[in-house]
Amino acid sequence: MQGNNINSDLKTFIKLAKEFLKEEGKDFPGEYISPKEIGDKIDVSLNDTPINRHEFERALKKIIIATPKTSSKLFFNQLFGGRHSKAVLGDLLAVLLNNSMATYKIAGPQVAIEKEIINKIGSIIGYNKNFLGGTFPTGGSMSNFMSLIMARDQYDIEAKNLGNKKNLTIYACENAHYSIGKNASFSGIGRNNVRYIKSNKHGEMNVGALENKIEKDINLNKTPIYVNTTVGTTVLGSFDDIEKIAIVCKKYNIWLHVDGSYCGSVIFSKKYQDLIKGINLSNSFCFNPHKTLGAPLSCSILLVQNKKHLYNSFSNEADYLYQTSDDSYNLGKVSFECGRRNNALKFWTLWKSIGKKGLSKMIEHEFMLAETAKNYIKANSNYQIYNSKPSLSVCFNYKNFEPEELCRKLYEKNKLMISYGRFKKNKFIRLVTVNSSNTEEDIYQMFKTLENFAEQNKNVLRRT
Ligand SMILES: *Cc1c(COP(=O)(O)O)cnc(C)c1O
Protein backbone atom coordinates (compact mmCIF):
# COMPACT_ATOMS: atom_id res chain seq x y z
CA MET A 1 0.00 0.00 0.00
CA GLN A 2 1.43 3.37 -0.95
CA GLY A 3 0.99 6.45 1.13
CA ASN A 4 0.21 10.04 0.32
CA ASN A 5 3.77 11.34 0.52
CA ILE A 6 4.72 14.41 -1.50
CA ASN A 7 8.45 14.17 -0.86
CA SER A 8 8.68 10.62 -2.06
CA ASP A 9 6.44 11.31 -5.06
CA LEU A 10 8.52 14.31 -6.08
CA LYS A 11 11.50 11.93 -6.23
CA THR A 12 9.44 9.62 -8.41
CA PHE A 13 8.58 12.59 -10.58
CA ILE A 14 12.24 13.48 -11.13
CA LYS A 15 13.04 9.89 -11.99
CA LEU A 16 10.20 9.59 -14.49
CA ALA A 17 10.91 13.03 -15.94
CA LYS A 18 14.51 12.04 -16.67
CA GLU A 19 13.43 8.85 -18.43
CA PHE A 20 10.88 10.79 -20.45
CA LEU A 21 13.34 13.51 -21.51
CA LYS A 22 15.83 10.88 -22.64
CA GLU A 23 13.16 9.29 -24.79
CA GLU A 24 12.06 12.64 -26.17
CA GLY A 25 15.57 13.35 -27.42
CA LYS A 26 15.43 10.42 -29.83
CA ASP A 27 14.94 10.85 -33.54
CA PHE A 28 11.22 10.18 -33.65
CA PRO A 29 8.23 11.85 -32.07
CA GLY A 30 6.90 8.71 -30.37
CA GLU A 31 5.92 5.17 -31.15
CA TYR A 32 2.62 4.88 -32.96
CA ILE A 33 0.02 2.68 -31.29
CA SER A 34 -3.33 2.37 -33.03
CA PRO A 35 -6.50 3.00 -30.97
CA LYS A 36 -7.39 -0.68 -31.47
CA GLU A 37 -4.14 -1.91 -29.94
CA ILE A 38 -3.97 0.54 -27.08
CA GLY A 39 -5.88 -1.65 -24.63
CA ASP A 40 -3.51 -4.57 -25.26
CA LYS A 41 -0.27 -2.60 -25.19
CA ILE A 42 -0.88 -0.20 -22.33
CA ASP A 43 -2.59 -1.14 -19.10
CA VAL A 44 -4.82 1.74 -18.04
CA SER A 45 -7.23 -0.42 -16.04
CA LEU A 46 -8.45 0.76 -12.63
CA ASN A 47 -8.92 -1.83 -9.90
CA ASP A 48 -10.37 -2.29 -6.44
CA THR A 49 -7.04 -3.07 -4.82
CA PRO A 50 -3.88 -0.93 -4.70
CA ILE A 51 -0.69 -1.94 -6.51
CA ASN A 52 2.78 -1.81 -5.03
CA ARG A 53 5.11 1.08 -5.62
CA HIS A 54 7.32 -0.77 -8.07
CA GLU A 55 4.47 -1.80 -10.33
CA PHE A 56 2.91 1.62 -10.06
CA GLU A 57 6.08 3.28 -11.32
CA ARG A 58 6.47 0.74 -14.07
CA ALA A 59 2.93 1.34 -15.29
CA LEU A 60 3.45 5.10 -15.22
CA LYS A 61 6.70 4.87 -17.12
CA LYS A 62 5.10 2.80 -19.83
CA ILE A 63 2.29 5.30 -20.25
CA ILE A 64 4.46 8.41 -20.44
CA ILE A 65 6.90 6.78 -22.86
CA ALA A 66 3.97 5.82 -25.12
CA THR A 67 2.53 9.34 -25.09
CA PRO A 68 3.27 11.49 -28.17
CA LYS A 69 6.27 13.76 -27.54
CA THR A 70 5.05 17.26 -28.24
CA SER A 71 8.45 18.74 -27.51
CA SER A 72 10.24 16.45 -29.93
CA LYS A 73 12.19 18.19 -32.69
CA LEU A 74 9.99 16.27 -35.11
CA PHE A 75 6.64 17.39 -33.74
CA PHE A 76 4.98 19.93 -36.06
CA ASN A 77 1.46 18.66 -35.75
CA GLN A 78 -0.51 21.34 -34.03
CA LEU A 79 -0.09 24.99 -33.27
CA PHE A 80 1.96 24.30 -30.19
CA GLY A 81 5.13 22.40 -29.55
CA GLY A 82 8.32 22.58 -27.60
CA ARG A 83 8.69 23.96 -24.13
CA HIS A 84 10.65 26.61 -22.34
CA SER A 85 12.02 25.19 -19.11
CA LYS A 86 11.35 28.39 -17.16
CA ALA A 87 7.66 28.23 -18.07
CA VAL A 88 7.56 24.57 -17.06
CA LEU A 89 9.12 25.49 -13.73
CA GLY A 90 6.42 28.08 -13.10
CA ASP A 91 3.67 25.64 -13.99
CA LEU A 92 5.05 22.92 -11.73
CA LEU A 93 5.06 25.43 -8.89
CA ALA A 94 1.49 26.43 -9.70
CA VAL A 95 0.46 22.79 -9.29
CA LEU A 96 2.20 22.58 -5.96
CA LEU A 97 0.75 25.87 -4.70
CA ASN A 98 -2.74 24.99 -5.94
CA ASN A 99 -4.39 28.36 -5.47
CA SER A 100 -7.58 29.31 -7.15
CA MET A 101 -7.33 32.64 -8.95
CA ALA A 102 -10.77 33.76 -7.81
CA THR A 103 -9.89 35.96 -4.85
CA TYR A 104 -6.99 37.76 -3.24
CA LYS A 105 -7.65 35.85 -0.07
CA ILE A 106 -6.86 32.50 -1.70
CA ALA A 107 -4.19 33.55 -4.20
CA GLY A 108 -2.30 36.44 -2.57
CA PRO A 109 0.74 37.49 -4.64
CA GLN A 110 -0.39 35.28 -7.54
CA VAL A 111 -3.08 37.89 -8.14
CA ALA A 112 -0.46 40.61 -8.42
CA ILE A 113 1.43 38.42 -10.90
CA GLU A 114 -1.60 38.02 -13.13
CA LYS A 115 -2.34 41.74 -12.94
CA GLU A 116 1.25 42.67 -13.76
CA ILE A 117 1.19 40.56 -16.94
CA ILE A 118 -2.14 42.07 -18.02
CA ASN A 119 -0.93 45.62 -17.37
CA LYS A 120 2.35 45.10 -19.23
CA ILE A 121 0.66 43.57 -22.26
CA GLY A 122 -2.02 46.24 -22.25
CA SER A 123 0.62 48.91 -22.43
CA ILE A 124 2.52 47.06 -25.19
CA ILE A 125 -0.56 46.97 -27.42
CA GLY A 126 -1.48 50.56 -26.61
CA TYR A 127 -4.61 50.23 -24.49
CA ASN A 128 -5.14 53.13 -22.05
CA LYS A 129 -3.75 52.00 -18.71
CA ASN A 130 -6.54 53.67 -16.74
CA PHE A 131 -9.19 51.48 -18.32
CA LEU A 132 -7.56 48.28 -19.54
CA GLY A 133 -8.50 44.97 -18.04
CA GLY A 134 -8.00 41.31 -18.73
CA THR A 135 -8.05 37.75 -17.55
CA PHE A 136 -6.53 34.33 -18.24
CA PRO A 137 -9.29 32.15 -19.75
CA THR A 138 -8.78 28.44 -20.32
CA GLY A 139 -7.69 28.90 -23.94
CA GLY A 140 -8.21 30.82 -27.15
CA SER A 141 -11.69 29.40 -27.75
CA MET A 142 -12.76 30.63 -24.32
CA SER A 143 -11.07 34.01 -24.84
CA ASN A 144 -13.04 34.40 -28.05
CA PHE A 145 -16.22 33.38 -26.27
CA MET A 146 -15.77 35.93 -23.51
CA SER A 147 -15.13 38.68 -26.03
CA LEU A 148 -18.35 37.81 -27.84
CA ILE A 149 -20.38 37.90 -24.63
CA MET A 150 -18.97 41.35 -23.82
CA ALA A 151 -19.89 42.55 -27.30
CA ARG A 152 -23.43 41.25 -26.90
CA ASP A 153 -23.86 42.82 -23.46
CA GLN A 154 -22.36 46.10 -24.58
CA TYR A 155 -25.03 46.30 -27.21
CA ASP A 156 -27.87 45.29 -24.92
CA ILE A 157 -27.13 45.08 -21.20
CA GLU A 158 -30.50 43.42 -20.61
CA ALA A 159 -29.55 40.47 -22.82
CA LYS A 160 -27.99 38.76 -19.83
CA ASN A 161 -31.30 38.85 -17.98
CA LEU A 162 -33.87 38.61 -20.72
CA GLY A 163 -32.00 36.75 -23.46
CA ASN A 164 -31.27 38.06 -26.92
CA LYS A 165 -34.12 40.12 -28.27
CA LYS A 166 -32.61 41.52 -31.44
CA ASN A 167 -31.52 39.76 -34.62
CA LEU A 168 -27.84 39.89 -33.76
CA THR A 169 -25.21 39.16 -36.42
CA ILE A 170 -21.47 38.67 -36.12
CA TYR A 171 -18.65 38.64 -38.68
CA ALA A 172 -15.45 36.72 -39.21
CA CYS A 173 -13.21 35.77 -42.07
CA GLU A 174 -13.97 32.45 -43.76
CA ASN A 175 -10.59 31.28 -42.38
CA ALA A 176 -11.37 32.21 -38.78
CA HIS A 177 -11.13 29.60 -36.05
CA TYR A 178 -14.01 27.17 -35.66
CA SER A 179 -14.67 28.41 -32.13
CA ILE A 180 -16.45 31.43 -33.66
CA GLY A 181 -19.31 29.19 -34.81
CA LYS A 182 -19.49 27.32 -31.53
CA ASN A 183 -19.45 30.57 -29.56
CA ALA A 184 -22.30 31.94 -31.68
CA SER A 185 -24.27 28.91 -30.65
CA PHE A 186 -23.36 29.14 -26.93
CA SER A 187 -24.21 32.84 -26.77
CA GLY A 188 -27.68 32.38 -28.19
CA ILE A 189 -26.77 34.38 -31.29
CA GLY A 190 -26.90 31.26 -33.43
CA ARG A 191 -24.55 29.72 -35.94
CA ASN A 192 -26.64 30.93 -38.88
CA ASN A 193 -26.03 34.51 -37.82
CA VAL A 194 -22.28 34.27 -38.30
CA ARG A 195 -21.30 35.94 -41.57
CA TYR A 196 -18.15 34.37 -42.97
CA ILE A 197 -16.43 36.96 -45.11
CA LYS A 198 -14.45 35.87 -48.16
CA SER A 199 -10.70 36.22 -48.06
CA ASN A 200 -8.20 37.37 -50.67
CA LYS A 201 -5.56 35.04 -52.09
CA HIS A 202 -3.40 35.50 -48.99
CA GLY A 203 -6.21 34.32 -46.73
CA GLU A 204 -6.88 37.79 -45.30
CA MET A 205 -10.40 39.12 -44.77
CA ASN A 206 -11.73 41.15 -47.68
CA VAL A 207 -12.62 44.41 -45.92
CA GLY A 208 -14.84 45.72 -48.72
CA ALA A 209 -16.88 42.51 -48.57
CA LEU A 210 -17.16 42.92 -44.78
CA GLU A 211 -18.63 46.40 -45.10
CA ASN A 212 -21.03 45.30 -47.83
CA LYS A 213 -22.29 42.48 -45.69
CA ILE A 214 -22.80 44.77 -42.69
CA GLU A 215 -24.77 47.24 -44.84
CA LYS A 216 -26.87 44.44 -46.23
CA ASP A 217 -27.66 43.09 -42.77
CA ILE A 218 -28.62 46.52 -41.47
CA ASN A 219 -31.03 46.88 -44.39
CA LEU A 220 -32.54 43.53 -43.43
CA ASN A 221 -33.12 44.85 -39.89
CA LYS A 222 -30.33 42.78 -38.42
CA THR A 223 -28.02 44.14 -35.73
CA PRO A 224 -24.28 43.71 -36.38
CA ILE A 225 -22.47 43.64 -33.03
CA TYR A 226 -19.10 41.90 -33.40
CA VAL A 227 -16.26 41.47 -35.85
CA ASN A 228 -13.63 38.84 -35.20
CA THR A 229 -10.29 39.41 -36.90
CA THR A 230 -7.49 36.90 -36.83
CA VAL A 231 -3.78 37.51 -36.48
CA GLY A 232 -2.39 34.20 -37.50
CA THR A 233 -5.19 32.16 -39.11
CA THR A 234 -5.18 28.52 -38.14
CA VAL A 235 -4.23 27.14 -41.55
CA LEU A 236 -2.24 29.77 -43.47
CA GLY A 237 -1.13 31.82 -40.47
CA SER A 238 -2.24 34.98 -42.27
CA PHE A 239 -2.93 38.35 -40.68
CA ASP A 240 -6.15 40.29 -41.19
CA ASP A 241 -5.73 44.03 -41.71
CA ILE A 242 -6.80 45.23 -38.25
CA GLU A 243 -6.37 48.91 -39.03
CA LYS A 244 -8.72 48.86 -42.02
CA ILE A 245 -11.25 46.68 -40.24
CA ALA A 246 -11.18 49.01 -37.23
CA ILE A 247 -12.39 51.88 -39.43
CA VAL A 248 -15.41 49.82 -40.47
CA CYS A 249 -16.13 48.80 -36.88
CA LYS A 250 -15.98 52.39 -35.69
CA LYS A 251 -18.32 53.56 -38.43
CA TYR A 252 -21.00 51.04 -37.44
CA ASN A 253 -20.21 50.97 -33.71
CA ILE A 254 -19.28 47.28 -33.71
CA TRP A 255 -17.04 45.49 -31.19
CA LEU A 256 -13.70 44.58 -32.72
CA HIS A 257 -11.99 41.49 -31.34
CA VAL A 258 -8.52 40.42 -32.44
CA ASP A 259 -8.01 36.67 -32.17
CA GLY A 260 -4.24 36.31 -31.84
CA SER A 261 -4.41 32.82 -30.34
CA TYR A 262 -1.88 31.57 -32.86
CA CYS A 263 0.45 34.47 -33.71
CA GLY A 264 -0.53 37.26 -31.32
CA SER A 265 2.87 36.92 -29.63
CA VAL A 266 4.22 39.15 -32.41
CA ILE A 267 3.27 42.00 -30.06
CA PHE A 268 6.66 41.38 -28.44
CA SER A 269 8.60 41.90 -31.66
CA LYS A 270 9.49 45.32 -33.06
CA LYS A 271 10.41 43.77 -36.38
CA TYR A 272 6.92 42.36 -37.02
CA GLN A 273 4.85 45.26 -35.59
CA ASP A 274 3.34 45.98 -39.00
CA LEU A 275 1.50 42.66 -38.94
CA ILE A 276 -0.69 43.92 -36.09
CA LYS A 277 -0.99 47.58 -37.00
CA GLY A 278 -4.14 49.04 -35.50
CA ILE A 279 -4.31 46.59 -32.62
CA ASN A 280 -4.67 49.55 -30.23
CA LEU A 281 -8.01 50.31 -31.92
CA SER A 282 -9.52 46.95 -30.99
CA ASN A 283 -11.94 46.40 -28.12
CA SER A 284 -10.34 43.12 -27.11
CA PHE A 285 -7.36 40.99 -28.00
CA CYS A 286 -6.23 37.51 -27.03
CA PHE A 287 -3.16 35.40 -27.58
CA ASN A 288 -1.86 32.04 -26.41
CA PRO A 289 1.65 31.84 -24.95
CA HIS A 290 1.04 28.08 -25.03
CA LYS A 291 1.19 28.14 -28.81
CA THR A 292 4.33 30.05 -29.71
CA LEU A 293 6.15 30.83 -26.48
CA GLY A 294 6.79 27.39 -25.06
CA ALA A 295 4.40 27.74 -22.11
CA PRO A 296 2.67 24.49 -21.14
CA LEU A 297 -1.02 24.16 -22.03
CA SER A 298 -3.00 26.07 -21.33
CA CYS A 299 -1.98 29.69 -21.25
CA SER A 300 -4.23 32.19 -22.95
CA ILE A 301 -4.56 35.88 -22.16
CA LEU A 302 -7.55 38.09 -22.94
CA LEU A 303 -7.08 41.86 -22.89
CA VAL A 304 -9.97 44.30 -22.87
CA GLN A 305 -9.76 47.96 -23.82
CA ASN A 306 -12.22 48.89 -21.08
CA LYS A 307 -12.52 46.65 -18.05
CA LYS A 308 -16.07 47.77 -17.30
CA HIS A 309 -17.20 45.29 -19.96
CA LEU A 310 -15.57 42.43 -18.09
CA TYR A 311 -17.41 43.46 -14.91
CA ASN A 312 -20.70 43.99 -16.73
CA SER A 313 -20.65 40.54 -18.25
CA PHE A 314 -18.85 38.35 -15.76
CA SER A 315 -19.23 39.71 -12.25
CA ASN A 316 -21.84 37.86 -10.32
CA GLU A 317 -22.24 39.25 -6.86
CA ALA A 318 -21.29 36.39 -4.54
CA ASP A 319 -20.61 37.77 -1.10
CA TYR A 320 -19.76 34.43 0.41
CA LEU A 321 -16.80 34.33 -1.96
CA TYR A 322 -15.58 37.90 -2.02
CA GLN A 323 -14.81 38.61 1.60
CA THR A 324 -11.99 41.08 1.12
CA SER A 325 -12.41 44.66 0.08
CA ASP A 326 -10.47 45.61 -3.03
CA ASP A 327 -12.42 44.24 -5.97
CA SER A 328 -9.67 44.75 -8.50
CA TYR A 329 -7.73 42.10 -6.60
CA ASN A 330 -10.62 39.64 -6.63
CA LEU A 331 -10.04 38.25 -10.09
CA GLY A 332 -13.10 36.01 -9.94
CA LYS A 333 -15.19 39.10 -10.65
CA VAL A 334 -13.96 39.18 -14.22
CA SER A 335 -13.59 35.50 -15.06
CA PHE A 336 -15.84 32.88 -16.57
CA GLU A 337 -14.83 30.17 -14.12
CA CYS A 338 -15.39 30.05 -10.38
CA GLY A 339 -12.38 28.00 -9.27
CA ARG A 340 -9.71 28.97 -11.78
CA ARG A 341 -6.33 27.40 -12.34
CA ASN A 342 -3.24 29.58 -12.03
CA ASN A 343 -2.08 29.90 -15.64
CA ALA A 344 -0.25 33.17 -15.04
CA LEU A 345 2.73 32.02 -13.01
CA LYS A 346 4.28 30.00 -15.88
CA PHE A 347 4.22 33.03 -18.15
CA TRP A 348 5.60 35.24 -15.39
CA THR A 349 8.53 32.90 -14.66
CA LEU A 350 9.29 32.85 -18.39
CA TRP A 351 9.08 36.63 -18.85
CA LYS A 352 10.92 37.35 -15.59
CA SER A 353 13.83 35.11 -16.56
CA ILE A 354 14.31 36.05 -20.23
CA GLY A 355 12.77 39.52 -20.30
CA LYS A 356 10.57 40.98 -23.00
CA LYS A 357 13.69 40.89 -25.17
CA GLY A 358 13.80 37.13 -24.78
CA LEU A 359 10.14 36.78 -25.74
CA SER A 360 10.81 38.88 -28.81
CA LYS A 361 13.76 36.66 -29.74
CA MET A 362 11.60 33.54 -29.46
CA ILE A 363 8.92 34.75 -31.84
CA GLU A 364 11.44 36.26 -34.29
CA HIS A 365 13.38 33.01 -34.30
CA GLU A 366 10.19 31.17 -35.24
CA PHE A 367 9.59 33.56 -38.17
CA MET A 368 13.19 32.97 -39.21
CA LEU A 369 12.63 29.19 -39.17
CA ALA A 370 9.57 29.64 -41.39
CA GLU A 371 11.65 31.74 -43.76
CA THR A 372 14.30 29.03 -43.81
CA ALA A 373 11.66 26.46 -44.72
CA LYS A 374 10.24 28.68 -47.46
CA ASN A 375 13.64 29.32 -48.98
CA TYR A 376 14.39 25.61 -48.99
CA ILE A 377 11.11 24.91 -50.76
CA LYS A 378 11.54 27.68 -53.30
CA ALA A 379 15.03 26.45 -54.20
CA ASN A 380 13.79 22.92 -54.86
CA SER A 381 11.58 22.25 -57.87
CA ASN A 382 10.14 19.10 -56.27
CA TYR A 383 8.14 21.34 -54.00
CA GLN A 384 5.21 23.65 -54.46
CA ILE A 385 4.44 26.44 -51.96
CA TYR A 386 0.97 27.85 -51.23
CA ASN A 387 1.59 30.92 -49.09
CA SER A 388 4.13 33.67 -49.53
CA LYS A 389 3.65 36.41 -46.92
CA PRO A 390 5.42 36.32 -43.52
CA SER A 391 3.75 33.58 -41.48
CA LEU A 392 4.60 30.79 -39.05
CA SER A 393 2.73 28.33 -41.28
CA VAL A 394 4.50 27.03 -44.36
CA CYS A 395 2.06 25.29 -46.69
CA PHE A 396 3.57 23.05 -49.35
CA ASN A 397 3.39 19.80 -51.29
CA TYR A 398 6.24 17.48 -52.19
CA LYS A 399 6.16 16.22 -55.76
CA ASN A 400 2.59 15.12 -56.26
CA PHE A 401 2.23 12.94 -53.20
CA GLU A 402 -1.24 13.15 -51.69
CA PRO A 403 -0.65 15.26 -48.53
CA GLU A 404 -3.24 13.74 -46.18
CA GLU A 405 -2.01 10.21 -46.74
CA LEU A 406 1.63 11.25 -46.58
CA CYS A 407 1.07 12.94 -43.20
CA ARG A 408 -0.80 9.93 -41.84
CA LYS A 409 1.87 7.46 -42.92
CA LEU A 410 4.70 9.59 -41.58
CA TYR A 411 2.91 9.46 -38.24
CA GLU A 412 2.09 5.76 -38.31
CA LYS A 413 5.67 4.90 -39.22
CA ASN A 414 7.08 6.99 -36.36
CA LYS A 415 8.92 9.44 -38.62
CA LEU A 416 7.34 12.81 -38.18
CA MET A 417 4.24 14.45 -36.75
CA ILE A 418 2.96 17.03 -39.19
CA SER A 419 -0.51 17.78 -40.50
CA TYR A 420 -2.27 18.93 -43.62
CA GLY A 421 -4.62 21.80 -44.34
CA ARG A 422 -6.84 23.25 -47.03
CA PHE A 423 -7.24 26.70 -48.49
CA LYS A 424 -9.66 27.49 -51.30
CA LYS A 425 -9.22 24.57 -53.72
CA ASN A 426 -5.84 23.36 -52.50
CA LYS A 427 -4.84 20.72 -50.01
CA PHE A 428 -1.29 20.73 -48.67
CA ILE A 429 1.09 19.83 -45.87
CA ARG A 430 1.25 22.55 -43.23
CA LEU A 431 4.54 22.97 -41.41
CA VAL A 432 4.28 25.17 -38.31
CA THR A 433 7.46 26.63 -36.88
CA VAL A 434 6.20 27.23 -33.35
CA ASN A 435 8.96 25.53 -31.40
CA SER A 436 11.61 28.14 -30.71
CA SER A 437 14.02 25.44 -29.52
CA ASN A 438 14.26 24.14 -33.08
CA THR A 439 17.24 25.15 -35.19
CA GLU A 440 17.54 25.66 -38.94
CA GLU A 441 19.25 22.29 -39.01
CA ASP A 442 16.13 20.72 -37.46
CA ILE A 443 14.02 22.19 -40.26
CA TYR A 444 16.34 20.76 -42.95
CA GLN A 445 16.23 17.43 -41.11
CA MET A 446 12.43 17.53 -41.23
CA PHE A 447 12.52 17.93 -45.03
CA LYS A 448 15.08 15.15 -45.38
CA THR A 449 12.95 12.83 -43.25
CA LEU A 450 9.91 13.59 -45.37
CA GLU A 451 11.77 13.21 -48.67
CA ASN A 452 13.46 9.94 -47.70
CA PHE A 453 10.20 8.49 -46.54
CA ALA A 454 8.35 9.54 -49.70
CA GLU A 455 11.09 8.13 -51.96
CA GLN A 456 11.29 4.83 -50.07
CA ASN A 457 7.52 4.41 -50.27
CA LYS A 458 6.88 5.98 -53.64
CA ASN A 459 5.34 2.80 -55.01
CA VAL A 460 2.66 2.62 -52.36
CA LEU A 461 1.91 6.28 -51.66
CA ARG A 462 -0.98 7.85 -53.55
CA ARG A 463 -0.40 10.71 -56.01
CA THR A 464 -2.67 13.62 -56.78
C1 LIG B 1 -5.74 27.62 -31.67
C2 LIG B 1 -6.61 28.73 -32.05
C3 LIG B 1 -7.73 29.05 -31.27
C4 LIG B 1 -8.17 28.20 -30.12
O1 LIG B 1 -7.32 28.25 -29.04
P1 LIG B 1 -7.43 27.11 -27.92
O2 LIG B 1 -6.53 27.58 -26.85
O3 LIG B 1 -6.96 25.84 -28.58
O4 LIG B 1 -8.85 27.02 -27.51
C5 LIG B 1 -8.47 30.15 -31.62
N1 LIG B 1 -8.15 30.89 -32.69
C6 LIG B 1 -7.08 30.60 -33.47
C7 LIG B 1 -6.77 31.49 -34.63
C8 LIG B 1 -6.29 29.50 -33.19
O5 LIG B 1 -5.25 29.20 -33.98
Side-chain angles (χ1 to χ4, degrees):
M1 174 84 178
Q2 299 174 58
N4 173 357
N5 183 333
I6 188 68
N7 285 311
S8 130
D9 283 330
L10 282 176
K11 280 189 197 134
T12 308
F13 175 80
I14 298 280
K15 203 160 101 190
L16 289 170
K18 281 187 176 154
E19 309 246 21
F20 178 75
L21 292 173
K22 204 163 77 195
E23 193 71 17
E24 185 186 83
K26 291 187 177 164
D27 274 347
F28 62 102
E31 193 163 325
Y32 172 72
I33 305 173
S34 77
K36 280 202 192 84
E37 300 170 296
I38 195 84
D40 297 331
K41 293 210 164 166
I42 306 287
D43 181 13
V44 295
S45 66
L46 293 169
N47 316 100
D48 290 349
T49 49
I51 56 171
N52 68 42
R53 172 158 209 109
H54 179 67
E55 278 183 42
F56 174 66
E57 280 183 23
R58 232 183 38 184
L60 265 180
K61 184 177 161 188
K62 227 173 153 185
I63 289 168
I64 62 169
I65 298 294
T67 301
K69 315 287 184 302
T70 63
S71 293
S72 157
K73 288 190 290 197
L74 293 161
F75 179 89
F76 301 97
N77 203 58
Q78 244 88 48
L79 302 181
F80 73 99
R83 69 168 77 81
H84 195 292
S85 63
K86 291 298 188 290
V88 173
L89 174 64
D91 212 17
L92 290 173
L93 289 172
V95 170
L96 200 63
L97 295 170
N98 197 35
N99 303 103
S100 166
M101 298 303 273
T103 70
Y104 184 76
K105 192 177 176 188
I106 10 176
Q110 301 300 321
V111 169
I113 280 174
E114 183 162 317
K115 284 168 72 73
E116 170 68 2
I117 296 171
I118 286 163
N119 287 335
K120 278 277 148 58
I121 293 170
S123 96
I124 288 171
I125 63 174
Y127 283 179
N128 182 330
K129 73 175 190 309
N130 296 321
F131 299 105
L132 73 89
T135 182
F136 279 61
T138 49
S141 302
M142 178 58 91
S143 290
N144 289 340
F145 180 59
M146 290 181 74
S147 72
L148 179 58
I149 296 300
M150 287 186 285
R152 186 198 66 171
D153 296 348
Q154 167 186 250
Y155 178 72
D156 177 10
I157 194 67
E158 279 302 318
K160 60 183 185 178
N161 297 319
L162 304 173
N164 299 336
K165 283 177 301 189
K166 308 280 187 341
N167 296 317
L168 307 180
T169 50
I170 69 174
Y171 304 79
C173 183
E174 59 180 340
N175 310 313
H177 190 254
Y178 71 90
S179 59
I180 310 302
K182 292 207 293 186
N183 293 338
S185 127
F186 304 156
S187 60
I189 290 168
R191 282 179 185 266
N192 291 353
N193 295 312
V194 184
R195 309 296 191 227
Y196 290 104
I197 309 300
K198 287 264 173 271
S199 62
N200 62 19
K201 65 176 184 192
H202 300 295
E204 303 151 354
M205 190 194 289
N206 180 328
V207 185
L210 169 70
E211 184 159 7
N212 286 343
K213 195 72 191 160
I214 290 171
E215 284 279 353
K216 223 171 174 178
D217 279 329
I218 292 172
N219 288 333
L220 290 169
N221 248 337
K222 306 271 185 195
T223 312
I225 57 159
Y226 176 86
V227 173
N228 176 90
T229 58
T230 316
V231 294
T233 58
T234 309
V235 175
L236 290 188
S238 48
F239 290 77
D240 284 338
D241 188 334
I242 305 173
E243 200 171 35
K244 270 204 194 129
I245 294 169
I247 295 170
V248 176
C249 287
K250 184 147 196 244
K251 179 168 166 192
Y252 297 95
N253 190 24
I254 297 174
W255 185 285
L256 172 59
H257 175 63
V258 178
D259 176 5
S261 298
Y262 179 16
C263 300
S265 312
V266 293
I267 57 169
F268 296 111
S269 158
K270 276 222 170 67
K271 188 168 168 192
Y272 292 99
Q273 277 308 293
D274 275 359
L275 294 174
I276 47 162
K277 220 160 125 203
I279 195 166
N280 56 313
L281 306 172
S282 63
N283 296 89
S284 53
F285 162 67
C286 69
F287 78 108
N288 287 357
H290 77 233
K291 279 189 168 165
T292 48
L293 295 175
L297 279 159
S298 67
C299 189
S300 180
I301 306 174
L302 172 65
L303 270 289
V304 184
Q305 173 88 261
N306 191 330
K307 62 188 167 207
K308 81 172 183 207
H309 299 295
L310 274 172
Y311 284 94
N312 282 345
S313 295
F314 299 102
S315 132
N316 224 332
E317 296 306 324
D319 286 340
Y320 73 91
L321 194 59
Y322 304 107
Q323 295 176 348
T324 51
S325 49
D326 191 341
D327 262 358
S328 78
Y329 279 79
N330 287 328
L331 301 180
K333 295 236 158 177
V334 294
S335 68
F336 183 92
E337 301 87 351
C338 175
R340 188 165 59 95
R341 195 182 186 281
N342 179 356
N343 286 319
L345 183 57
K346 57 187 144 194
F347 192 51
W348 187 88
T349 48
L350 176 65
W351 190 332
K352 186 79 178 167
S353 63
I354 67 172
K356 185 175 145 222
K357 284 195 174 129
L359 299 173
S360 165
K361 266 195 192 143
M362 284 174 91
I363 188 79
E364 289 183 3
H365 180 73
E366 289 166 12
F367 273 98
M368 188 276 286
L369 291 178
E371 213 44 48
T372 301
K374 273 183 199 163
N375 291 338
Y376 179 86
I377 288 170
K378 284 183 194 155
N380 188 329
S381 59
N382 288 325
Y383 284 92
Q384 190 180 358
I385 192 151
Y386 296 87
N387 61 333
S388 54
K389 283 198 166 180
S391 158
L392 297 182
S393 296
V394 182
C395 301
F396 66 92
N397 276 319
Y398 179 62
K399 295 192 170 167
N400 55 351
F401 290 104
E402 203 287 316
E404 184 174 348
E405 189 199 44
L406 183 55
C407 291
R408 181 168 52 79
K409 294 228 156 120
L410 280 162
Y411 157 57
E412 290 175 358
K413 300 294 176 195
N414 307 321
K415 299 292 180 199
L416 190 60
M417 286 181 79
I418 192 163
S419 62
Y420 66 94
R422 283 173 223 268
F423 176 62
K424 305 229 188 241
K425 288 196 178 74
N426 295 314
K427 191 170 168 191
F428 39 68
I429 298 173
R430 180 196 60 168
L431 169 73
V432 289
T433 54
V434 293
N435 181 352
S436 68
S437 307
N438 274 346
T439 62
E440 284 184 280
E441 202 41 57
D442 293 329
I443 300 298
Y444 295 132
Q445 193 53 45
M446 188 287 303
F447 284 119
K448 282 281 164 286
T449 305
L450 186 147
E451 289 161 18
N452 289 342
F453 183 79
E455 295 308 328
Q456 280 159 14
N457 296 281
K458 62 178 179 223
N459 296 327
V460 293
L461 286 170
R462 270 194 298 132
R463 312 284 182 125
T464 53

